[in-house]
Amino acid sequence: MAAGGVSLFARLPICGQRSQVLRPIHRLLSGPGTVAADPRREEQSLGIAETGSEDRTPKKRFSEVQKERREQAQRTVLILCPNKISEKKFLKYLSQHGPINNHFFFESFGLYAVVEFCQKDSVASLQSVTRILSVGTEAAIPFRSRFFNLKLKNPASQTSEQSDIPCSSQSPPSNKKLFELLCNAESVDDQLNTLLKEFQLTEENAKLRYLTCSLIEDIAAAYFPHCEVRPFGSSVNGFGKLGCDLDMLLDLDEIGKSSAHKNSGNFLMEFQVKSAASERIATQKILSVIGECLDHFGPGCVGVQKILNARCPLVRFSHQASGFQCDLTANNRIALKSSELLYIYSALDSRVRALVFSIRCWARAHSLTSSIPGAWVTNFSLTMMVIFFLQRRSPPVLPTLDYLKTLADAEDKCIIEGHNCTFTCDLNRIKPSENTETLELLLKEFFEYFGNFAFNKNSINVRQGREQNKPESSPLHIQNPFETSLNISKNVSQSQLQKFVDLARESAWILHQEDKDHPSPASHQPWGLAALLLPSVTNSVSHAKKKRKKPASERVKNLLESIKSSGTENSTNTSGKRTVSTQA
Ligand code: GTP
Ligand code: MG
């Protein structure tokens, strides 16, 4: 294990902790993917427990968390406020409409407030006193949403009462801050837990994600009453980083279901409906009109793009107020089930999230992943690789999907489009792992394992938790856990895979070197995870081999100097080397 070195950054002052601005202390709804307000749950959530799954408190099902969050979001409003207001007066004004459960402020091209009422009626009451105003020559499109502007009636007279409002940050820490924190950590395990703590979704960010879905649902409901817009992907699966996109599913299944059991007597009633030639065409038509609707009438929805010919048709847009990049899909229930599976894996053992976050940050820092689609590995695939690796440990850290299927009861049975998506939804039925390996060891072993994996002949399979012969010739084959004939990493090119392998070997090598060298605190070098997040010297195998002849300490020091001299973050420096980028 590396000694806790004092880096070049160590002399910089460390900023205070993120201010807790959600108040009053709310009822805890968070799943494993968010920072929880309860200190004991926070420990579990942050993966502070050293090894294994010591947590014995009952864990919520994915569906329970989704239901509670959704209901909470329906009682919540989003308000664009004047830059400086009196928080006390603001709350007093709003509480005319009913008691407020909690609220927080955040900044995003203006000061916004998220206010959760105790009752849904309060929202209707607030809407009933709200006007729609056309500005100048522009004509307002009348839409009574839950997204408001708050104006001061007499700004001049209220200036003296205005005060600075504490704002909740919706962004991850800067690279500089992250490096300070990592270099000041006590161990590699501590580094991984620190990274998780800094990057995971906060309670406020999770609320904002559910609220955004709920606001989009209001718009979609104008066409399809009783539809649901549900978040999926990393926003809810436990692996979301601050700044990640917001994947949404327009769920129309509830519409047809609602009155099925009330049919009685000799007759059956059915709605008259129009039909499309296929499910795909129906999905494209529905998303097309919702896309138009968001574009023309959706408050705060900008840059709407309809990407209807993709394998999974979607509408992409930015939600300006929350700052989220949103991908709205429909008829995509398998993706929701994948999110539930990942939620379970993320919650089973405190080490899983810490390892996934670090590997994702490592991959991003070395441009192995990108926010642009292409021939590179995706975060989803990387997560599957970590899960597979953890299933391969002895004893395993995580169970296989087939094992989770054996724990399922009748209620868990789930077949989607002919694919068996059954597994237990009750986390409390799954026995904790007996594996007690440290995060440091797991990180090192992950790089060793995939640095030497026979990608040319083997497939990664989390359903069975063992390597299998590749059924086709894609460079990287990761079996889709539910649609088992599909490869989730079909897009990855041989050169991108090679880059991944080279970097994995390089990173394993750096960690092994540190074991030997034991960098001293006086050596002023980044160490452990911090060293792994530095720009790669491995642009090709030959380049890497050449570099390996130099001692790690010297290489890392040179790299650090190059970062310092570039003076920029997340960019290309003058020598053409990449600087650290850990943002999603
Ligand atoms: P981020 O990079 O943090 O957004 O991770 P993510 O897990 O949200 O990934 P992304 O936004 O790319 O995709 C959202 C969800 O769609 C994933 O969590 C998966 O459930 C699903 N998904 C993404 N890519 C694939 C794929 O190639 N195949 C299948 N079957 N599902 C996918
Ligand atoms: Mg996503």
Side-chain angles (χ1 to χ4, degrees):
M1 190 183 71
V6 178
S7 78
L8 286 169
F9 296 116
R11 278 166 261 137
L12 297 166
I14 294 179
C15 305
Q17 294 293 306
R18 180 184 292 122
S19 59
Q20 178 55 266
V21 290
L22 194 67
R23 55 187 116 136
I25 297 294
H26 49 83
R27 205 159 44 90
L28 185 72
L29 291 175
S30 55
T34 55
V35 181
D38 176 313
R40 197 166 58 95
R41 281 301 301 254
E42 182 166 1
E43 281 210 346
Q44 295 155 8
S45 165
L46 303 184
I48 288 167
E50 294 248 297
T51 52
S53 186
E54 303 82 356
D55 178 13
R56 295 286 190 278
T57 47
K59 290 170 181 155
K60 280 186 182 164
R61 288 169 183 242
F62 183 71
S63 56
E64 287 171 331
V65 176
Q66 287 238 327
K67 193 168 164 228
E68 286 179 37
R69 289 280 194 191
R70 184 178 139 76
E71 190 274 321
Q72 180 187 64
Q74 287 169 339
R75 291 184 273 113
T76 305
V77 296
L78 180 60
I79 305 175
L80 174 60
C81 302
N83 272 342
K84 284 193 166 185
I85 54 165
S86 156
E87 187 178 2
K88 211 170 139 192
K89 283 194 168 176
F90 169 72
L91 294 175
K92 193 171 166 213
Y93 171 72
L94 287 177
S95 51
Q96 294 174 84
H97 302 282
I100 293 168
N101 203 24
N102 63 59
H103 73 285
F104 67 91
F105 293 90
F106 70 95
E107 267 172 358
S108 160
F109 302 108
L111 177 68
Y112 290 88
V114 171
V115 180
E116 182 195 323
F117 287 102
C118 295
Q119 286 138 18
K120 218 170 152 183
D121 292 352
S122 305
V123 176
S125 166
L126 177 60
Q127 281 172 324
S128 71
V129 299
T130 302
R131 61 181 184 162
I132 293 172
L133 192 69
S134 292
V135 184
T137 53
E138 292 181 356
I141 293 166
F143 181 66
R144 287 159 68 101
S145 73
R146 281 181 286 137
F147 182 12
F148 304 92
N149 277 334
L150 179 75
K151 296 269 169 69
L152 297 175
K153 271 191 187 156
N154 189 357
S157 70
Q158 297 193 32
T159 320
S160 57
E161 298 164 23
Q162 293 169 355
S163 58
D164 276 335
I165 303 268
C167 280
S168 148
S169 170
Q170 306 301 320
S171 334
S174 68
N175 292 324
K176 193 172 133 205
K177 167 96 188 292
L178 176 68
F179 268 76
E180 274 172 34
L181 292 169
L182 294 184
C183 290
N184 287 329
E186 284 174 4
S187 63
V188 174
D189 281 44
D190 190 20
Q191 286 185 322
L192 269 78
N193 284 322
T194 299
L195 185 136
L196 171 63
K197 181 170 164 245
E198 292 297 317
F199 278 91
Q200 69 186 341
L201 304 184
T202 58
E203 168 64 19
E204 296 89 340
N205 196 271
K207 285 187 108 180
L208 197 50
R209 284 171 189 270
Y210 277 87
L211 173 60
T212 305
C213 286
S214 185
L215 296 176
I216 301 305
E217 183 178 297
D218 288 352
I219 298 168
Y223 270 102
F224 300 108
H226 307 296
C227 73
E228 291 184 9
V229 172
R230 311 220 240 151
F232 71 99
S234 61
S235 297
V236 294
N237 68 17
F239 298 115
K241 269 168 55 178
L242 285 171
C244 70
D245 69 356
L246 173 54
D247 303 293
M248 304 174 180
L249 169 72
L250 173 65
D251 189 350
L252 303 178
D253 284 5
E254 292 303 313
I255 297 174
K257 269 185 208 162
S258 49
S259 57
H261 62 281
K262 289 188 189 142
N263 272 317
S264 58
N266 294 329
F267 298 101
L268 262 176
M269 291 298 276
E270 285 179 354
F271 284 109
Q272 276 276 351
V273 289
K274 278 205 168 187
S275 299
S278 68
E279 283 274 4
R280 181 175 169 83
I281 294 173
T283 302
Q284 286 170 328
K285 287 184 176 214
I286 292 164
L287 284 177
S288 181
V289 292
I290 300 295
E292 291 292 320
C293 214
L294 293 176
D295 196 15
H296 296 302
F297 314 130
C301 300
V302 296
V304 178
Q305 287 173 271
K306 295 196 272 180
I307 309 173
L308 302 178
N309 288 324
R311 190 185 70 83
C312 182
L314 64 105
V315 174
R316 178 165 289 169
F317 61 96
S318 295
H319 191 255
Q320 225 174 7
S322 62
F324 296 136
Q325 168 81 29
C326 304
D327 279 352
L328 177 69
T329 58
N331 193 19
N332 191 13
R333 296 187 66 79
I334 291 192
L336 197 65
K337 210 60 194 167
S338 300
S339 303
E340 179 166 8
L341 178 65
L342 294 194
Y343 168 89
I344 289 177
Y345 280 132
S346 77
L348 275 184
D349 187 286
S350 59
R351 292 163 293 180
V352 181
R353 295 175 65 231
L355 198 59
V356 169
F357 270 68
S358 293
I359 297 295
R360 281 185 172 203
C361 277
W362 167 84
R364 190 73 182 96
H366 296 287
S367 300
L368 286 169
T369 51
S370 166
S371 52
I372 308 160
W376 25 85
V377 70
T378 61
N379 276 333
F380 181 54
S381 296
L382 272 180
T383 307
M384 287 295 180
M385 290 169 90
V386 177
I387 289 170
F388 181 72
F389 161 75
L390 293 174
Q391 291 173 334
R392 301 295 298 153
R393 302 305 296 162
S394 178
V397 177
L398 288 177
T400 66
L401 175 52
D402 275 344
Y403 175 72
L404 297 183
K405 193 174 154 196
T406 64
L407 300 180
D409 60 19
E411 208 186 306
D412 297 322
K413 191 163 180 215
C414 175
I415 310 284
I416 304 173
E417 292 158 21
H419 302 288
N420 194 332
C421 303
T422 305
F423 55 86
T424 181
C425 300
D426 184 357
L427 286 106
N428 305 306
R429 275 195 212 153
I430 308 164
K431 232 174 85 192
S433 165
E434 283 168 11
N435 180 303
T436 57
E437 288 167 316
T438 62
L439 278 169
E440 181 181 5
L441 181 71
L442 291 171
L443 183 67
K444 216 182 295 178
E445 293 288 322
F446 174 88
F447 291 128
E448 287 272 349
Y449 184 75
F450 283 114
N452 296 297
F453 191 85
F455 287 107
N456 57 339
K457 59 174 194 259
N458 286 334
S459 161
I460 291 164
N461 181 323
V462 299
R463 179 164 279 283
Q464 297 180 5
R466 61 186 162 86
E467 297 155 17
Q468 285 199 310
N469 287 338
K470 273 206 298 196
E472 39 112 337
S473 61
S474 304
L476 176 61
H477 193 281
I478 304 175
Q479 191 194 58
N480 182 321
F482 301 118
E483 293 165 276
T484 52
S485 63
L486 299 182
N487 172 11
I488 65 162
S489 52
K490 207 175 169 63
N491 61 313
V492 178
S493 66
Q494 184 59 44
S495 63
Q496 284 298 319
L497 178 64
Q498 192 56 50
K499 191 172 159 192
F500 174 88
V501 170
D502 290 342
L503 281 160
R505 288 181 185 169
E506 168 113 356
S507 299
W509 182 83
I510 290 174
L511 291 175
H512 280 295
Q513 279 304 112
E514 283 192 354
D515 270 350
K516 283 195 242 154
D517 293 353
H518 289 288
S520 72
S523 65
H524 291 226
Q525 318 161 7
W527 56 278
L529 185 59
L532 300 186
L533 296 180
L534 287 170
S536 170
V537 289
T538 314
N539 288 325
S540 68
V541 179
S542 58
H543 194 181
K545 280 181 185 154
K546 225 189 288 172
K547 290 286 179 185
R548 275 185 202 131
K549 288 176 189 155
K550 280 190 183 178
S553 56
E554 197 185 322
R555 285 186 307 113
V556 171
K557 207 167 154 189
N558 290 343
L559 289 165
L560 188 63
E561 290 302 330
S562 87
I563 285 185
K564 277 186 73 195
S565 62
S566 79
T568 55
E569 289 181 357
N570 295 321
S571 62
T572 307
N573 67 18
T574 46
S575 62
K577 279 181 181 158
R578 280 172 295 106
T579 51
V580 182
S581 167
T582 49
Q583 316 303 313

